Amino acid sequence: MTASRTARERVRAELTREITDIARRRLATEGAGGLSLRAVAREMGMVSSAIYRYFPSRDDLLTTLIIDGYNALGEAVERADADCPPDDHPGRWLTACHAVRAWAVAHPHEYALIYGSPVPGYQAPQDTIAARLRDVTVLGRILADAWKAGAVRPPAIEPPAGLAAEAGGFRELMPEVPDSVIWAGVSAWTALYGWVGFEVFGQFNNTIEDRRAAFDHSMRLAAATMGLA
């Protein structure tokens, strides 16, 4: 009985992986908004009714793809940071930034799914939050570690008093970091994901040729915004 149940679970896992692999490929042609369970089933040679045993709706499949994308990006950033000396805070920042860019450039359609335009009619569930935070948790930890080590020069511009309440969620990612540095960090993160979005979605076409060098310089400027030496 146990062996039989394990075999069924193995087959289910393999079919689930095949479904998500096909759906991920179809993102490149149909986009997230055009993703169809029936089309995926046809490509697999599966009757359309059978696929609903694995994913009850298109939104369930999208949620799995989104979580997979966030986890893949988060893992890439975590692995990059782990390879750096822990006290080299600017180096960790640059390495993490390049990991974000490298993953996005290698997986543009998955990046578009998690950081592109919202999918019409789709509302991401709470299940996506933990995976969504993996990459920014690394970025927050880098800045928090630098602050604790005395390696951050606070920016000269203080945030307006009204923003104190808005920093609450970021304080969880950057404990003990003052609000002025938190908002400098948020500004740097915006520069990071804004740049990557511009590159992935083609805004730099026919404008910047050596994008890696330009990106590296921009992320050094972002590090200076945060006050990293």
Side-chain angles (χ1 to χ4, degrees), residues 1 3 31 39 53 70 76 78 138 151 157 164 188 191 200 213 218-219:
M1 180 68 73
R53 293 199 294 267
Y70 279 138
E78 290 165 355
V138 175
I157 302 175
V200 169
S218 294
M219 294 307 101

Side-chain angles (χ1 to χ4, degrees), residues 125-143:
Q126 294 289 106
D127 297 354
T128 61
I129 293 177
R132 165 67 185 87
L133 292 176
R134 287 182 66 173
D135 54 338
V136 295
T137 295
V138 175
L139 301 179
R141 183 166 61 244
I142 292 170
L143 189 53

Side-chain angles (χ1 to χ4, degrees), residues 59-71 113-114 122-135:
D59 286 3
D60 291 301
L61 178 56
L62 276 176
T63 296
T64 296
L65 294 176
I66 288 169
I67 291 174
D68 287 350
Y70 279 138
N71 278 327
L113 178 63
I114 60 178
Y122 174 79
Q123 182 66 41
Q126 294 289 106
D127 297 354
T128 61
I129 293 177
R132 165 67 185 87
L133 292 176
R134 287 182 66 173
D135 54 338

